[in-house]
Amino acid sequence: DEVMEIESELLDRYGQMPPETESLVEVARLRVNCRNAGVQEVITQGNKVRISPVDLPESASMRVTRLYPGTVTKSAIRTIIVPLPTSGTEFGAALLRDRELVSWADELITALAGPAKA
């Protein structure tokens, strides 16, 4: 909510944000989502992203593996490793970058956190 308020205030005060500012807002959203999920690290390693600490019950681990094929769960070190998605076609596929990557990571952290509790 705070990120949305800041974004709204920036839009109200300065008008349309430049892409760099929009990127900063996206990163702020991801950081808040990580903090709320208890995640301290989101690190890209080649064509994978490593997220920790993550404590997933078996059902949640299975759900994440189904949603993100190729995911490896390392419960002993409270880490999951997820293949980065690509954009484009098979022949022109490239790993996501910049804002697309941040948005994807935000969705992944939301999936890890599971459904919101009432």
Side-chain angles (χ1 to χ4, degrees), residues 3-117:
V3 174
M4 286 176 44
E5 287 178 25
I6 292 169
E7 182 179 23
S8 179
E9 185 175 332
L10 286 170
L11 285 169
D12 184 51
R13 191 171 289 190
Y14 301 108
Q16 184 64 35
M17 292 184 284
E20 297 83 3
T21 306
E22 290 177 351
S23 294
L24 285 173
V25 170
E26 294 280 331
V27 170
R29 252 188 217 104
L30 173 61
R31 291 183 68 159
V32 167
N33 201 5
C34 285
R35 183 182 59 205
N36 291 340
V39 171
Q40 296 175 356
E41 290 185 326
V42 177
I43 300 171
T44 57
Q45 296 178 320
N47 62 351
K48 299 185 185 323
V49 63
R50 180 172 53 95
I51 302 170
S52 67
V54 178
D55 291 312
L56 294 176
E58 189 173 336
S59 61
S61 179
M62 288 174 52
R63 185 180 89 245
V64 169
T65 302
R66 183 175 33 84
L67 292 172
Y68 300 92
T71 295
V72 175
T73 303
K74 297 186 175 192
S75 55
I77 58 172
R78 300 172 55 203
T79 300
I80 66 166
I81 299 171
V82 183
L84 288 172
T86 57
S87 62
T89 65
E90 291 257 345
F91 297 106
L95 295 176
L96 292 184
R97 297 189 57 199
D98 304 325
R99 287 180 62 196
E100 288 179 325
L101 179 57
V102 172
S103 293
W104 174 84
D106 193 43
E107 291 172 13
L108 172 60
I109 298 299
T110 298
L112 291 174
K117 296 176 176 74

